[in-house]
Amino acid sequence: MAADQQLSLFDRDEEARAYHDPEQAGFFSILVNAKGDKRQSSHRLIDMPTVLGLIDKNRDAWMTQAEFIRPNRRVVNLARVGLLFADLDTYRKPWASGRTPEQLVESVLYHCTQEGIPPPSILVFSGRGIQAKWLLEGALPRQALPRWNACQRYLIDRLAHLGADRQAKDASRVLRVVQTVNEKSGEICRVVHVENEPNSQPVRYNFEYMAEILLPVARWTIEQQRQEREERAIRRQLKLLPGDKTDNLRGFSGRQLAWHRLEDLRTLAELRGGIQEGERMQHLFWRLNFLLLSGATNSKLMYYEAKALAKELDPNWQENSKELMTLYSKAKAYEAGEKVSFGGREYPPLYTPRNDMLIDLFSITDQEQAQLRTLISKSMAAERHREREKARRRASGAVDRETYLQTASAKQAQAQSLREQGLSVRAIAVQMGVSVGAVSGYLKAAKIVQSPCVLQPAASTTKECSKSVRITNGEAFAEGRFFE
């Protein structure tokens, strides 16, 4: 499809609708360059067509790619995100010098093929570089942010040859609005390529498929190791895994856990109907710590996120940023890959507390823990594990002990009844569809049940009783025990 045809099909509203749904509840933000002064405004998604129509096409304008629960584009306010993206500063690369936007498109598609990356759904010429966007089949909720961040990180790494901007990969990022001018080049931002499906709509990718391609560890391996970690957590206090910069599964799991802890603290505030004045800084400090550990923000954006979190705690609270200076220093050290040694182990500079410490610090009750995801005691973690295992066994066809014993008792009674009718053990086995050994066991067990306790002669203090059920080859047999 020619570029001018795509431009007519993909105006600014059409392009935005590819990853924003005006029917959803939430907000998006617009950043506009007004005479050298960048001004930001947030609007409801339902008003998106009207807002986009009012943008002056002769000025620089950018729009958020994600959607937010509040009129503030900080990542702590994320509602959902429906695409992966990369801002490719091709103009910084010598090989791209003098190439037309269409030639840049060819280079991007070729490089994606070489890297084993699916072709972007949409390629936008930003006026100097290329904005590549992979539309997803469905918008991801905020709970999936750590995995989305991981995919973004690896995607940017693999597109480094194309000039991928490493600073433009977070969920709060803004990219240029289609059909607006890039004042640095005088070029119009426009759609230059669409990867279509058979229905002539831009191709959309399943997020799990993209994660499998981009992440260094397959999804099923992540799930298997997650289950193993949960089992280990029962035997010892659940502990935050280091969210370091080694880009491996352990670091990724730490980011996921840190995000869930941030969400738990927010849930705790909701359960308590808000946070009292003397506890606000404590909540802000730990929320920001976990936000940094999750990889959803960095030291450069930390204070912006802090303001958003403070407003969430109390719209009228003016937090003292000086109290966060220590956390800022640790965030810088964390990003530099530094480690802290303690007890013979290495940890990231940011705080990685144990659950019992957080439970005590925030005085989290058992009733509150029941509604949290990760800030729970060892006993509650063990109980949840037992429930998951019980559900897993049921799903695999296992039955509870009472049902099993009832079934075994019924088989014993059936075998005994057929035996009384004169059938041989082999004939009973054929009729019941079990082995000869199983039938012998049923008949033996039935006799024990009928006469459960046989007293020995008076001179002996030993008596024989049926005390347990033995399972052999999937069949149950009563097992006699002698005891003093």
Side-chain angles (χ1 to χ4, degrees):
M1 184 183 293
D4 57 344
Q5 291 177 302
Q6 289 188 12
L7 183 59
S8 64
L9 290 176
F10 268 80
D11 58 17
R12 65 179 64 165
D13 183 63
E14 186 71 15
E15 197 269 346
R17 283 177 180 269
Y19 47 89
H20 285 310
D21 184 359
E23 303 300 320
Q24 289 278 3
F27 299 85
F28 71 103
S29 296
I30 295 290
L31 187 65
V32 176
N33 186 12
K35 298 180 180 180
D37 182 22
K38 292 183 179 179
R39 298 179 181 178
Q40 180 174 287
S41 59
S42 295
H43 311 271
R44 294 185 183 277
L45 286 167
I46 195 172
D47 297 325
M48 187 180 71
T50 301
V51 173
L52 291 178
L54 294 174
I55 293 177
D56 185 349
K57 66 179 182 181
N58 296 314
R59 291 181 176 176
D60 289 314
W62 301 263
M63 181 173 67
T64 51
Q65 305 300 286
E67 299 167 0
F68 303 86
I69 59 176
R70 295 183 177 85
N72 182 302
R73 68 178 177 95
R74 299 272 62 90
V75 71
V76 291
N77 295 324
L78 181 73
R80 66 194 75 87
V81 59
L83 77 168
L84 295 168
F85 58 83
D87 190 10
L88 308 176
D89 294 337
T90 52
Y91 59 90
R92 298 182 183 274
K93 297 295 182 179
W95 60 262
S97 178
R99 297 196 181 189
T100 65
E102 288 69 29
Q103 290 172 330
L104 291 177
V105 165
E106 294 178 0
S107 298
V108 171
L109 295 177
Y110 175 79
H111 185 79
C112 286
T113 300
Q114 293 297 103
E115 285 291 320
I117 301 173
S121 308
I122 301 173
L123 289 174
V124 178
F125 176 56
S126 66
R128 293 205 294 174
I130 296 290
Q131 297 172 174
K133 303 182 181 185
W134 290 260
L135 304 179
L136 301 177
E137 290 180 347
L140 299 177
R142 60 185 294 131
Q143 292 83 356
L145 182 60
R147 295 194 69 227
W148 182 88
N149 280 332
C151 287
Q152 280 284 109
R153 186 169 63 254
Y154 283 105
L155 180 62
I156 298 303
D157 286 345
R158 292 169 69 171
L159 296 178
H161 175 71
L162 297 176
D165 185 354
R166 295 184 180 277
Q167 301 301 316
K169 60 185 177 183
D170 56 280
S172 64
R173 185 60 50 180
V174 293
L175 296 180
R176 286 188 179 274
V177 177
V178 169
Q179 293 183 321
T180 59
V181 72
N182 184 322
E183 295 185 43
K184 292 181 179 180
S185 66
E187 295 278 357
I188 298 295
C189 177
R190 63 185 188 274
V191 174
V192 288
H193 178 79
V194 179
E195 191 73 19
N196 284 325
E197 292 188 283
N199 62 3
S200 298
Q201 294 297 314
V203 63
R204 291 181 178 275
Y205 298 102
N206 179 277
F207 179 66
E208 294 301 330
Y209 168 73
M210 293 296 293
E212 184 178 324
I213 289 175
L214 296 172
L215 297 181
V217 182
R219 173 65 170 176
W220 52 83
T221 305
I222 292 176
E223 289 296 332
Q224 179 183 356
Q225 297 195 24
R226 180 186 62 78
Q227 293 178 4
E228 293 174 354
R229 290 196 305 276
E230 289 178 349
E231 293 173 359
R232 290 196 300 270
I234 294 173
R235 298 190 296 270
R236 68 178 189 273
Q237 178 65 41
L238 184 62
K239 184 177 181 180
L240 181 63
L241 298 177
D244 53 22
K245 294 296 183 180
T246 55
D247 288 337
N248 54 24
L249 178 62
R250 186 177 176 86
F252 170 67
S253 301
R255 293 185 179 96
Q256 186 79 52
L257 180 54
W259 177 259
H260 289 325
R261 282 183 161 178
L262 165 64
E263 292 290 83
D264 274 354
L265 289 179
R266 301 173 90 168
T267 300
L268 183 64
E270 293 177 4
L271 294 175
R272 295 177 175 180
I275 302 300
Q276 298 179 5
E277 182 176 351
E279 301 174 355
R280 291 181 304 197
M281 182 51 74
Q282 177 175 287
H283 267 262
L284 176 60
F285 179 89
W286 284 106
R287 290 187 190 192
L288 197 55
N289 177 76
F290 291 132
L291 181 64
L292 289 162
L293 269 175
S294 74
T297 192
N298 53 55
S299 58
K300 292 182 179 179
L301 300 175
M302 189 191 92
Y303 285 105
Y304 294 106
E305 297 291 344
K307 288 183 179 179
L309 285 169
K311 293 297 183 185
E312 180 181 312
L313 289 167
D314 186 344
N316 300 316
W317 181 38
Q318 297 295 325
E319 87 287 354
N320 185 356
S321 59
K322 292 182 179 180
E323 297 187 46
L324 299 174
M325 291 182 64
T326 299
L327 193 59
Y328 175 76
S329 299
K330 290 182 177 294
K332 294 283 287 184
Y334 172 64
E335 292 161 14
E338 296 181 16
K339 299 289 184 180
V340 175
S341 298
F342 180 77
R345 299 182 62 181
E346 289 190 334
Y347 298 91
L350 289 165
Y351 299 96
T352 56
R354 292 179 180 271
N355 264 8
D356 53 4
M357 178 269 193
L358 292 170
I359 291 172
D360 290 341
L361 182 64
F362 291 98
S363 302
I364 305 175
T365 66
D366 291 344
Q367 291 75 15
E368 290 171 333
Q369 290 178 45
Q371 301 183 64
L372 303 179
R373 184 166 184 172
T374 60
L375 295 181
I376 56 177
S377 64
K378 288 186 288 186
S379 60
M380 185 167 292
E383 177 60 29
R384 289 185 183 181
H385 177 75
R386 284 193 294 269
E387 291 298 322
R388 285 193 296 270
E389 285 298 294
K390 185 177 180 180
R392 182 185 62 79
R393 289 193 297 271
R394 294 284 177 83
S396 64
V399 298
D400 58 75
R401 179 176 176 79
E402 182 179 354
T403 302
Y404 182 85
L405 292 178
Q406 288 177 352
T407 302
S409 179
K411 289 183 177 180
Q412 293 170 11
Q414 182 183 5
Q416 183 66 21
S417 175
L418 294 174
R419 185 63 168 167
E420 291 174 353
Q421 295 174 27
L423 273 69
S424 67
V425 171
R426 187 172 298 279
I428 295 173
V430 172
Q431 184 164 333
M432 293 183 64
V434 298
S435 66
V436 172
V439 173
S440 299
Y442 291 147
L443 296 175
K444 186 183 298 183
K447 291 180 180 180
I448 294 175
V449 170
Q450 292 173 359
S451 180
C453 208
V454 180
L455 293 178
Q456 301 300 315
S460 173
T461 60
T462 302
K463 56 183 178 179
E464 182 182 359
C465 292
S466 175
K467 295 297 294 180
S468 65
V469 173
R470 176 168 55 90
I471 299 175
T472 304
N473 293 329
E475 307 294 346
F477 302 92
E479 192 174 60
R481 295 280 181 89
F482 289 92
F483 60 96
E484 295 297 329

